[in-house]
Amino acid sequence: MNGLPVTDARGNTLVSLRFGTERDLTAPMPLALVVVEVDGRVLLVFDRRRGQWGLPGGTIELGETSHRAAVRELAAETGIVVSGLRFAAVARFVLRDPVRREYAAVYRAGFATEPAVRPRHDEVSAIAWWHPGTRLLRDQGLLDAEIARRVTGSAR
């Protein structure tokens, strides 16, 4: 799949998405994201602070593995408790405010039926299910959408 880099309206850029194994986590990894799939749909959370829909996830705490951070953030934001997330890729970004390069470990979880989900975090006000083969939701983050499309194989 090509089409990268992708830049959003805020000037943030998804430079690359490198698929592989957790052994590929060589750069400092400040973020962990999770692509949760059910019937071809991906779970999105509405982040109050950023004012947009995106993938569950967040900052990796000092001494924490990216996998543990992904599990913790998913549970904190959605109430979904899992231990066996699968590593999917490393996302590389150039962010604008402040200008910096940043990496995120991307994990995925698939469910046969829709899990009970409820916003459980101060930053998350709502959840939605989105099909990556369709148009973006209003106020949906372009970079997270591109990650979801590529991880699920729905990239155009």
Side-chain angles (χ1 to χ4, degrees):
M1 288 180 238
N2 53 14
L4 291 180
V6 172
T7 302
D8 68 14
R10 298 175 185 191
N12 298 315
T13 303
L14 173 62
V15 176
S16 65
L17 189 67
R18 201 174 68 240
F19 293 89
T21 67
E22 282 183 293
R23 291 186 304 251
D24 297 324
L25 298 175
T26 55
M29 211 60 50
L31 298 172
L33 301 172
V34 184
V35 176
V36 177
E37 305 168 77
V38 175
D39 293 328
R41 297 171 296 140
V42 171
L43 177 67
L44 300 176
V45 296
F46 190 82
D47 185 313
R48 288 182 179 141
R49 183 180 48 80
R50 292 184 351 191
Q52 67 182 24
W53 292 99
L55 297 170
T59 304
I60 299 171
E61 296 176 356
L62 187 62
E64 187 176 44
T65 67
S66 58
H67 183 270
R68 178 67 195 121
V71 168
R72 176 183 49 77
E73 287 286 341
L74 181 62
E77 293 180 357
T78 69
I80 298 174
V81 178
V82 295
S83 59
L85 296 176
R86 294 170 298 169
F87 180 79
V90 173
R92 183 167 61 106
F93 303 94
V94 174
L95 304 178
R96 183 169 176 200
D97 190 20
V99 174
R100 65 196 182 280
R101 293 178 192 264
E102 198 159 272
Y103 294 85
V106 181
Y107 292 85
R108 86 191 282 184
F111 292 90
T113 59
E114 194 172 299
V117 180
R118 62 191 181 288
R120 295 177 41 104
H121 195 274
D122 292 342
E123 292 178 15
V124 174
S125 61
I127 61 99
W129 291 95
W130 169 70
H131 191 285
T134 62
R135 294 173 54 152
L136 297 182
L137 303 177
R138 182 173 180 228
D139 298 323
Q140 185 175 354
L142 177 62
L143 305 185
D144 281 12
E146 189 64 25
I147 290 168
R149 285 179 172 142
R150 288 169 183 266
V151 167
T152 62
S154 301
R156 298 174 199 202

